[in-house]
Amino acid sequence: MSFPTHRPRRLRRTEALRGLVRETRLSPAGLVYPMFACAGTKLRQEVSSMPGIHQQSVDQIAEECREVESLGIPAVILFGLPEMKDPRGAISYSAAGVVQRAIEAIRKAQLRLIVITDVCLCEYTDHGHCGVIENGEVANDATLPILAEQALSHARAGADIVAPSDMMDGRVAAIRRKLDENGFQDVAILSYAAKYCSGFYGPFREAAQSAPQFGDRHSYQMDPANAHEALKEVALDLEEGADIVMVKPALPYLDIIHRVRERFDVPVAAYNVSGEYAMVKAAVQNGWLDEKRVVLELLAGIQRAGANIILTYHAKDAARWLKQC
Ligand code: PBG
């Protein structure tokens, strides 16, 4: 029995009917807003390839965090632009580092925001790689203690969740052990479990001043052609103690988000990255796309694929639009 008994258009007739049968309901409650903390004072500099997104000094950051909270967005993820870089990224685990001070500023402002921190070396090393270099290569095991120290320093400063994005093998276990040994068993780990070697990180590398000075990230980030390997990465990170797993970028990897959601019983996050944001913004600036429509459509797509949590530079705009709907 098909037409004329079945008429799917019956349930599309009015906005009220469409709302009643809607399968994916976007809410600010699942969004995370990424922010860039830099050294100095009174600085607020827009990233040229990411209109609306700023690098800002620690004294400025709480103000935007207050706005984020008032929009109903529950969490921010912090990236740091340190005042100096060295081969080992030593400043990344200093209590006086930019991210550590930014966390303290947010805590001092008495905000309820969940503070997530990106744990990686690329913003802190002079060579821009996500690990230390030995014999011309990014050395896996030698990087782990530095990542663990960095995560611990974020926890000490008051982070709720640490999010390793370096793609070294074994980092989740190293971080979990370090946090537990120091009494931070309640600090959660959101691992960038399936992080692809993507061209869509371009604008971020301007924002975070973290482009590799030689070579590329193919020896540690995943090959975009692989899907089974993503499931293996996720399984390993969960075994090591990850609480939330992330797929990154989002839009070219909706199939991966879906498969991870189907296979594993943990919260799944997706990172709608800088290049995905820049593409939309550029088209909107040219008058080629309707920003509100396409952003809400993209975010609904990422959620429909299976993401419970979406990290996105569109978070503040999306939260405003969702309030109006
Ligand atoms: C650091 C890191 C990157 C992003 C998040 N953490 C960049 C990279 O791996 O080069 C990308 C975020 C974005 O593009 O929005 N390793």
Side-chain angles (χ1 to χ4, degrees):
M1 242 201 310
S2 183
F3 181 82
T5 309
H6 290 288
R7 290 180 182 270
R9 287 186 55 190
R10 273 182 206 127
L11 298 179
R12 291 183 205 138
R13 213 162 41 79
T14 65
E15 179 48 31
L17 281 168
R18 292 190 291 274
L20 184 70
V21 298
R22 190 155 291 139
E23 298 175 38
T24 306
R25 298 184 196 279
L26 272 180
S27 153
L31 302 179
V32 177
Y33 185 61
M35 300 181 76
F36 300 94
C38 65
T41 52
K42 298 203 173 74
L43 295 173
R44 201 171 143 80
Q45 167 90 30
E46 190 169 53
V47 180
S48 64
S49 52
M50 300 174 73
I53 302 298
H54 298 80
Q55 300 166 337
Q56 51 197 328
S57 49
V58 170
D59 57 316
Q60 305 286 302
I61 215 152
E63 196 180 315
E64 194 180 7
C65 286
R66 198 175 298 283
E67 184 193 5
V68 170
E69 183 174 294
S70 72
L71 288 165
I73 298 163
V76 294
I77 179 164
L78 300 178
F79 296 92
L81 287 86
E83 45 251 286
M84 53 172 193
K85 304 189 187 221
D86 67 34
R88 304 180 57 79
I91 199 154
S92 72
Y93 52 87
S94 157
V98 274
V99 167
Q100 291 82 353
R101 286 190 285 123
I103 303 167
E104 284 161 7
I106 296 167
R107 291 292 173 231
K108 210 173 278 167
Q110 306 266 315
L111 301 171
R112 285 169 322 223
L113 277 181
I114 298 162
V115 177
I116 307 173
T117 57
D118 185 84
V119 173
C120 195
L121 291 194
C122 64
E123 296 126 75
Y124 305 95
T125 50
D126 49 13
H127 46 76
H129 277 289
C130 303
V132 296
I133 306 295
E134 284 177 358
N135 306 319
E137 299 207 356
V138 177
N140 193 86
D141 298 16
T143 302
L144 301 182
I146 306 177
L147 294 167
E149 281 301 331
Q150 188 184 134
L152 175 61
S153 74
H154 293 169
R156 283 199 173 118
D160 299 292
I161 302 178
V162 292
S165 67
D166 52 283
M167 288 300 278
M168 298 302 119
D169 296 327
R171 80 273 170 79
V172 173
I175 291 170
R176 187 70 272 160
R177 199 174 319 114
K178 190 77 173 180
L179 290 175
D180 289 356
E181 280 167 8
N182 287 276
F184 291 104
Q185 59 282 343
D186 291 332
V187 170
I189 300 179
L190 185 173
S191 80
Y192 288 68
K195 177 173 177 178
Y196 286 88
C197 193
S198 171
F200 288 98
Y201 306 147
F204 173 93
R205 293 182 188 168
E206 179 203 337
Q209 298 166 358
S210 63
Q213 299 304 302
F214 67 90
D216 53 44
R217 304 210 201 290
H218 280 100
S219 79
Y220 43 107
Q221 298 181 344
M222 281 184 55
D223 186 328
N226 295 355
H228 294 286
E229 190 188 358
L231 300 177
K232 178 178 178 180
E233 282 282 7
V234 169
L236 290 172
D237 281 8
L238 288 173
E239 268 172 44
E240 290 180 27
D243 300 282
I244 305 172
V245 291
M246 183 147 72
V247 175
K248 177 187 171 191
L251 300 177
Y253 302 96
L254 295 177
D255 59 325
I256 309 298
I257 296 171
H258 184 67
R259 290 203 210 185
V260 171
R261 175 64 291 155
E262 298 277 290
R263 171 100 49 113
F264 301 97
D265 296 319
V266 294
V268 175
Y271 201 143
N272 176 219
V273 301
S274 58
E276 299 175 298
Y277 176 82
M279 259 185 336
V280 170
K281 284 287 182 184
V284 167
Q285 282 180 351
N286 275 296
W288 295 340
L289 288 174
D290 173 341
E291 184 171 23
K292 176 179 166 181
R293 264 191 87 171
V294 298
V295 168
L296 294 180
E297 185 176 338
L298 290 172
L299 297 179
I302 297 167
Q303 185 175 322
R304 196 187 60 241
N308 310 104
I309 302 166
I310 305 175
L311 285 69
T312 179
Y313 302 96
H314 297 292
K316 291 199 305 176
D317 289 332
R320 274 189 214 102
W321 295 325
L322 289 168
K323 245 182 210 164
Q324 295 162 7
C325 299

Short mmCIF file of all heavy atoms in Angstrom, two decimals, residues 31-37 61 65 68 73-80 99 102-103 106 113-119 123 154 161-165 190-192 204 246 248 269-271 309-313 315:
data_model
loop_
_atom_site.label_atom_id
_atom_site.label_comp_id
_atom_site.label_asym_id
_atom_site.label_seq_id
_atom_site.Cartn_x
_atom_site.Cartn_y
_atom_site.Cartn_z
N LEU A 31 26.50 22.67 22.47
CA LEU A 31 27.56 23.38 21.73
C LEU A 31 28.74 23.75 22.63
O LEU A 31 28.58 23.99 23.82
CB LEU A 31 26.99 24.66 21.10
CG LEU A 31 25.81 24.48 20.13
CD1 LEU A 31 25.35 25.84 19.60
CD2 LEU A 31 26.19 23.55 18.97
N VAL A 32 29.90 23.79 22.02
CA VAL A 32 31.12 24.24 22.71
C VAL A 32 31.75 25.34 21.85
O VAL A 32 31.88 25.17 20.63
CB VAL A 32 32.13 23.08 22.87
CG1 VAL A 32 33.42 23.57 23.53
CG2 VAL A 32 31.52 21.92 23.65
N TYR A 33 32.12 26.44 22.49
CA TYR A 33 32.69 27.59 21.75
C TYR A 33 34.21 27.63 21.93
O TYR A 33 34.71 27.72 23.05
CB TYR A 33 32.05 28.88 22.29
CG TYR A 33 32.46 30.13 21.56
CD1 TYR A 33 32.17 30.29 20.20
CD2 TYR A 33 33.12 31.16 22.22
CE1 TYR A 33 32.54 31.44 19.53
CE2 TYR A 33 33.48 32.33 21.54
CZ TYR A 33 33.19 32.46 20.20
OH TYR A 33 33.55 33.60 19.53
N PRO A 34 34.97 27.57 20.82
CA PRO A 34 36.44 27.62 20.92
C PRO A 34 36.95 29.06 21.07
O PRO A 34 36.44 29.97 20.42
CB PRO A 34 36.91 27.05 19.57
CG PRO A 34 35.69 26.48 18.91
CD PRO A 34 34.53 27.27 19.45
N MET A 35 37.96 29.24 21.92
CA MET A 35 38.51 30.58 22.17
C MET A 35 40.03 30.55 22.21
O MET A 35 40.63 29.56 22.63
CB MET A 35 37.98 31.12 23.51
CG MET A 35 36.46 31.23 23.55
SD MET A 35 35.85 31.90 25.10
CE MET A 35 36.23 33.63 24.89
N PHE A 36 40.64 31.67 21.79
CA PHE A 36 42.10 31.77 21.71
C PHE A 36 42.63 32.79 22.70
O PHE A 36 42.34 33.99 22.58
CB PHE A 36 42.51 32.17 20.29
CG PHE A 36 42.07 31.18 19.26
CD1 PHE A 36 40.87 31.34 18.57
CD2 PHE A 36 42.84 30.05 18.99
CE1 PHE A 36 40.44 30.41 17.63
CE2 PHE A 36 42.42 29.11 18.06
CZ PHE A 36 41.22 29.29 17.38
N ALA A 37 43.40 32.33 23.68
CA ALA A 37 43.94 33.22 24.71
C ALA A 37 45.39 33.57 24.37
O ALA A 37 46.20 32.68 24.07
CB ALA A 37 43.89 32.53 26.07
N ILE A 61 39.20 37.78 28.38
CA ILE A 61 38.50 36.55 27.99
C ILE A 61 37.22 36.30 28.79
O ILE A 61 36.24 35.80 28.26
CB ILE A 61 39.50 35.36 28.04
CG1 ILE A 61 39.15 34.39 26.92
CG2 ILE A 61 39.53 34.67 29.38
CD1 ILE A 61 40.34 33.61 26.43
N CYS A 65 33.32 35.16 27.73
CA CYS A 65 32.80 33.93 28.37
C CYS A 65 31.44 34.20 29.02
O CYS A 65 30.55 33.35 29.01
CB CYS A 65 33.78 33.41 29.41
SG CYS A 65 35.21 32.63 28.67
N VAL A 68 28.95 34.08 26.35
CA VAL A 68 28.75 32.68 25.95
C VAL A 68 27.78 32.01 26.93
O VAL A 68 26.81 31.35 26.54
CB VAL A 68 30.11 31.92 25.91
CG1 VAL A 68 29.91 30.42 25.73
CG2 VAL A 68 30.99 32.47 24.79
N ILE A 73 25.17 28.50 26.18
CA ILE A 73 26.22 27.57 25.73
C ILE A 73 26.96 27.09 26.98
O ILE A 73 27.42 27.92 27.76
CB ILE A 73 27.18 28.27 24.75
CG1 ILE A 73 26.41 28.73 23.50
CG2 ILE A 73 28.36 27.37 24.38
CD1 ILE A 73 27.14 29.77 22.67
N PRO A 74 27.06 25.77 27.19
CA PRO A 74 27.58 25.31 28.48
C PRO A 74 29.10 25.28 28.61
O PRO A 74 29.61 25.19 29.71
CB PRO A 74 27.04 23.88 28.58
CG PRO A 74 26.90 23.45 27.15
CD PRO A 74 26.54 24.67 26.37
N ALA A 75 29.82 25.36 27.47
CA ALA A 75 31.26 25.09 27.56
C ALA A 75 32.07 25.89 26.55
O ALA A 75 31.59 26.21 25.46
CB ALA A 75 31.52 23.60 27.35
N VAL A 76 33.32 26.17 26.93
CA VAL A 76 34.29 26.74 25.99
C VAL A 76 35.49 25.78 25.93
O VAL A 76 35.73 25.02 26.86
CB VAL A 76 34.80 28.14 26.43
CG1 VAL A 76 33.66 29.16 26.39
CG2 VAL A 76 35.43 28.11 27.82
N ILE A 77 36.20 25.82 24.80
CA ILE A 77 37.49 25.11 24.74
C ILE A 77 38.55 26.16 24.47
O ILE A 77 38.40 27.01 23.59
CB ILE A 77 37.51 23.97 23.69
CG1 ILE A 77 38.90 23.30 23.67
CG2 ILE A 77 37.10 24.43 22.29
CD1 ILE A 77 38.95 21.95 22.98
N LEU A 78 39.60 26.12 25.28
CA LEU A 78 40.64 27.16 25.22
C LEU A 78 41.88 26.69 24.49
O LEU A 78 42.37 25.57 24.71
CB LEU A 78 41.06 27.57 26.64
CG LEU A 78 39.98 28.13 27.57
CD1 LEU A 78 40.59 28.41 28.95
CD2 LEU A 78 39.38 29.40 26.97
N PHE A 79 42.41 27.58 23.64
CA PHE A 79 43.70 27.38 22.98
C PHE A 79 44.61 28.51 23.42
O PHE A 79 44.14 29.63 23.64
CB PHE A 79 43.52 27.43 21.46
CG PHE A 79 42.66 26.31 20.94
CD1 PHE A 79 41.30 26.49 20.78
CD2 PHE A 79 43.21 25.08 20.62
CE1 PHE A 79 40.49 25.45 20.32
CE2 PHE A 79 42.41 24.04 20.16
CZ PHE A 79 41.05 24.23 20.01
N GLY A 80 45.91 28.23 23.50
CA GLY A 80 46.82 29.26 23.99
C GLY A 80 47.82 29.72 22.95
O GLY A 80 48.34 28.92 22.17
N VAL A 99 46.99 29.74 28.98
CA VAL A 99 45.76 28.96 29.18
C VAL A 99 45.46 28.82 30.67
O VAL A 99 44.31 29.00 31.11
CB VAL A 99 45.87 27.58 28.50
CG1 VAL A 99 44.77 26.63 28.96
CG2 VAL A 99 45.83 27.74 26.98
N ALA A 102 44.11 32.00 31.83
CA ALA A 102 42.75 32.22 31.30
C ALA A 102 41.72 31.41 32.10
O ALA A 102 40.64 31.91 32.42
CB ALA A 102 42.70 31.83 29.82
N ILE A 103 42.08 30.18 32.45
CA ILE A 103 41.15 29.36 33.26
C ILE A 103 40.89 30.06 34.59
O ILE A 103 39.74 30.18 35.04
CB ILE A 103 41.74 27.95 33.55
CG1 ILE A 103 42.09 27.21 32.27
CG2 ILE A 103 40.78 27.13 34.41
CD1 ILE A 103 42.96 25.96 32.48
N ILE A 106 38.52 32.92 34.23
CA ILE A 106 37.12 32.48 34.06
C ILE A 106 36.56 32.03 35.40
O ILE A 106 35.42 32.34 35.76
CB ILE A 106 37.05 31.35 33.00
CG1 ILE A 106 37.49 31.87 31.63
CG2 ILE A 106 35.64 30.76 32.93
CD1 ILE A 106 37.75 30.80 30.59
N LEU A 113 30.47 28.11 33.43
CA LEU A 113 30.92 27.46 32.20
C LEU A 113 31.82 26.27 32.48
O LEU A 113 32.67 26.31 33.37
CB LEU A 113 31.74 28.45 31.37
CG LEU A 113 31.04 29.44 30.48
CD1 LEU A 113 32.10 30.28 29.76
CD2 LEU A 113 30.17 28.71 29.46
N ILE A 114 31.64 25.23 31.69
CA ILE A 114 32.57 24.10 31.69
C ILE A 114 33.81 24.57 30.93
O ILE A 114 33.69 25.08 29.81
CB ILE A 114 31.95 22.89 30.96
CG1 ILE A 114 30.68 22.42 31.68
CG2 ILE A 114 32.97 21.76 30.82
CD1 ILE A 114 29.81 21.53 30.80
N VAL A 115 34.97 24.42 31.53
CA VAL A 115 36.19 24.83 30.84
C VAL A 115 36.92 23.58 30.33
O VAL A 115 37.32 22.72 31.11
CB VAL A 115 37.12 25.66 31.75
CG1 VAL A 115 38.41 26.01 31.01
CG2 VAL A 115 36.41 26.94 32.21
N ILE A 116 37.03 23.52 29.02
CA ILE A 116 37.77 22.44 28.35
C ILE A 116 39.06 23.06 27.86
O ILE A 116 39.07 24.22 27.42
CB ILE A 116 36.96 21.89 27.15
CG1 ILE A 116 35.54 21.50 27.57
CG2 ILE A 116 37.68 20.72 26.50
CD1 ILE A 116 34.63 21.10 26.40
N THR A 117 40.16 22.33 27.92
CA THR A 117 41.41 22.87 27.38
C THR A 117 41.96 21.94 26.31
O THR A 117 41.90 20.71 26.46
CB THR A 117 42.49 23.03 28.47
OG1 THR A 117 42.71 21.75 29.10
CG2 THR A 117 42.07 24.05 29.51
N ASP A 118 42.47 22.51 25.26
CA ASP A 118 43.15 21.73 24.23
C ASP A 118 44.54 21.40 24.75
O ASP A 118 45.26 22.28 25.22
CB ASP A 118 43.25 22.57 22.95
CG ASP A 118 43.85 21.79 21.79
OD1 ASP A 118 43.10 21.07 21.12
OD2 ASP A 118 45.07 21.93 21.56
N VAL A 119 44.89 20.12 24.70
CA VAL A 119 46.22 19.70 25.16
C VAL A 119 47.02 19.28 23.93
O VAL A 119 46.67 18.32 23.25
CB VAL A 119 46.11 18.53 26.16
CG1 VAL A 119 47.49 17.98 26.50
CG2 VAL A 119 45.39 18.99 27.43
N GLU A 123 51.13 24.65 19.47
CA GLU A 123 51.10 26.09 19.71
C GLU A 123 52.32 26.57 20.52
O GLU A 123 52.57 27.76 20.60
CB GLU A 123 49.83 26.48 20.51
CG GLU A 123 48.52 26.21 19.78
CD GLU A 123 47.57 25.36 20.62
OE1 GLU A 123 46.99 25.87 21.58
OE2 GLU A 123 47.43 24.16 20.30
N HIS A 154 46.69 22.22 33.56
CA HIS A 154 45.35 22.73 33.26
C HIS A 154 44.37 22.33 34.37
O HIS A 154 43.53 23.14 34.79
CB HIS A 154 44.85 22.19 31.91
CG HIS A 154 45.61 22.70 30.72
ND1 HIS A 154 45.47 22.17 29.47
CD2 HIS A 154 46.54 23.69 30.60
CE1 HIS A 154 46.26 22.82 28.62
NE2 HIS A 154 46.93 23.73 29.28
N ILE A 161 37.65 19.59 31.87
CA ILE A 161 37.90 18.56 30.87
C ILE A 161 39.18 18.92 30.13
O ILE A 161 39.37 20.08 29.75
CB ILE A 161 36.73 18.49 29.84
CG1 ILE A 161 35.39 18.21 30.54
CG2 ILE A 161 37.00 17.45 28.76
CD1 ILE A 161 34.18 18.18 29.59
N VAL A 162 40.06 17.94 29.92
CA VAL A 162 41.24 18.18 29.09
C VAL A 162 41.05 17.42 27.78
O VAL A 162 40.50 16.30 27.76
CB VAL A 162 42.56 17.77 29.78
CG1 VAL A 162 42.84 18.69 30.97
CG2 VAL A 162 42.53 16.31 30.23
N ALA A 163 41.49 18.03 26.70
CA ALA A 163 41.20 17.48 25.37
C ALA A 163 42.48 17.35 24.54
O ALA A 163 42.89 18.31 23.87
CB ALA A 163 40.19 18.38 24.66
N PRO A 164 43.14 16.19 24.61
CA PRO A 164 44.37 16.02 23.84
C PRO A 164 44.10 15.93 22.33
O PRO A 164 43.27 15.16 21.88
CB PRO A 164 44.97 14.71 24.36
CG PRO A 164 43.83 13.99 25.01
CD PRO A 164 42.85 15.03 25.47
N SER A 165 44.83 16.77 21.56
CA SER A 165 44.59 16.85 20.12
C SER A 165 45.83 16.52 19.30
O SER A 165 45.86 16.71 18.10
CB SER A 165 44.13 18.26 19.74
OG SER A 165 45.18 19.19 19.94
N LEU A 190 38.42 14.40 27.05
CA LEU A 190 37.76 14.38 25.74
C LEU A 190 38.88 14.17 24.73
O LEU A 190 39.70 15.08 24.54
CB LEU A 190 37.06 15.73 25.50
CG LEU A 190 36.18 15.94 24.26
CD1 LEU A 190 35.47 17.29 24.37
CD2 LEU A 190 36.94 15.90 22.96
N SER A 191 38.96 13.00 24.14
CA SER A 191 40.09 12.80 23.23
C SER A 191 39.69 13.08 21.80
O SER A 191 38.60 12.72 21.35
CB SER A 191 40.65 11.38 23.35
OG SER A 191 39.87 10.48 22.62
N TYR A 192 40.58 13.81 21.12
CA TYR A 192 40.44 13.97 19.68
C TYR A 192 40.88 12.60 19.14
O TYR A 192 42.04 12.40 18.77
CB TYR A 192 41.39 15.01 19.16
CG TYR A 192 41.14 16.48 19.45
CD1 TYR A 192 41.23 17.00 20.74
CD2 TYR A 192 40.87 17.36 18.40
CE1 TYR A 192 41.05 18.36 20.96
CE2 TYR A 192 40.70 18.73 18.63
CZ TYR A 192 40.80 19.22 19.91
OH TYR A 192 40.64 20.57 20.12
N PHE A 204 42.80 27.96 11.44
CA PHE A 204 43.18 27.76 12.85
C PHE A 204 44.68 28.01 13.04
O PHE A 204 45.10 28.58 14.04
CB PHE A 204 42.86 26.33 13.30
CG PHE A 204 43.35 25.97 14.67
CD1 PHE A 204 42.53 26.13 15.78
CD2 PHE A 204 44.64 25.49 14.88
CE1 PHE A 204 42.98 25.80 17.06
CE2 PHE A 204 45.10 25.16 16.14
CZ PHE A 204 44.26 25.32 17.23
N MET A 246 36.11 12.26 20.07
CA MET A 246 35.78 13.28 19.06
C MET A 246 36.26 12.87 17.68
O MET A 246 37.29 12.22 17.52
CB MET A 246 36.42 14.62 19.45
CG MET A 246 36.07 15.74 18.50
SD MET A 246 35.95 17.31 19.34
CE MET A 246 37.68 17.64 19.71
N LYS A 248 37.12 14.69 13.99
CA LYS A 248 37.50 16.03 13.53
C LYS A 248 38.22 15.94 12.20
O LYS A 248 39.10 15.09 12.08
CB LYS A 248 38.43 16.64 14.59
CG LYS A 248 38.97 17.99 14.24
CD LYS A 248 40.00 18.41 15.25
CE LYS A 248 40.67 19.66 14.75
NZ LYS A 248 41.83 19.98 15.53
N ALA A 269 31.67 13.60 20.27
CA ALA A 269 31.79 15.02 19.90
C ALA A 269 32.27 15.12 18.46
O ALA A 269 32.90 14.19 17.93
CB ALA A 269 32.77 15.72 20.84
N ALA A 270 31.96 16.24 17.82
CA ALA A 270 32.49 16.51 16.48
C ALA A 270 32.99 17.95 16.47
O ALA A 270 32.37 18.83 17.07
CB ALA A 270 31.39 16.33 15.44
N TYR A 271 34.11 18.17 15.79
CA TYR A 271 34.69 19.51 15.71
C TYR A 271 34.44 20.08 14.31
O TYR A 271 35.00 19.61 13.33
CB TYR A 271 36.19 19.47 16.00
CG TYR A 271 36.80 20.78 16.44
CD1 TYR A 271 37.81 20.81 17.41
CD2 TYR A 271 36.40 22.00 15.89
CE1 TYR A 271 38.39 22.01 17.82
CE2 TYR A 271 36.98 23.20 16.30
CZ TYR A 271 37.97 23.20 17.26
OH TYR A 271 38.54 24.39 17.66
N ILE A 309 27.78 16.34 20.92
CA ILE A 309 28.45 17.58 21.30
C ILE A 309 29.08 18.13 20.02
O ILE A 309 29.72 17.38 19.28
CB ILE A 309 29.56 17.29 22.34
CG1 ILE A 309 28.98 16.62 23.58
CG2 ILE A 309 30.33 18.56 22.70
CD1 ILE A 309 30.05 16.01 24.50
N ILE A 310 28.89 19.43 19.76
CA ILE A 310 29.51 20.03 18.58
C ILE A 310 30.37 21.22 18.99
O ILE A 310 29.87 22.16 19.62
CB ILE A 310 28.46 20.48 17.54
CG1 ILE A 310 27.53 19.33 17.15
CG2 ILE A 310 29.15 21.04 16.30
CD1 ILE A 310 26.37 19.74 16.22
N LEU A 311 31.66 21.14 18.67
CA LEU A 311 32.55 22.28 18.88
C LEU A 311 32.46 23.13 17.62
O LEU A 311 32.73 22.63 16.52
CB LEU A 311 33.99 21.82 19.09
CG LEU A 311 34.34 21.20 20.44
CD1 LEU A 311 33.67 19.85 20.61
CD2 LEU A 311 35.85 21.05 20.60
N THR A 312 32.07 24.38 17.75
CA THR A 312 31.90 25.20 16.55
C THR A 312 32.10 26.68 16.83
O THR A 312 31.67 27.19 17.87
CB THR A 312 30.51 24.97 15.91
OG1 THR A 312 30.40 25.82 14.77
CG2 THR A 312 29.35 25.24 16.86
N TYR A 313 32.76 27.35 15.87
CA TYR A 313 32.94 28.80 15.94
C TYR A 313 31.62 29.52 15.71
O TYR A 313 31.51 30.72 15.96
CB TYR A 313 34.01 29.23 14.92
CG TYR A 313 35.33 28.53 15.15
CD1 TYR A 313 35.66 27.37 14.43
CD2 TYR A 313 36.20 28.96 16.14
CE1 TYR A 313 36.84 26.69 14.67
CE2 TYR A 313 37.39 28.28 16.39
CZ TYR A 313 37.71 27.15 15.65
OH TYR A 313 38.86 26.46 15.90
N ALA A 315 29.00 28.86 17.37
CA ALA A 315 28.17 28.59 18.56
C ALA A 315 27.35 29.79 19.02
O ALA A 315 26.16 29.66 19.29
CB ALA A 315 29.05 28.06 19.70
#
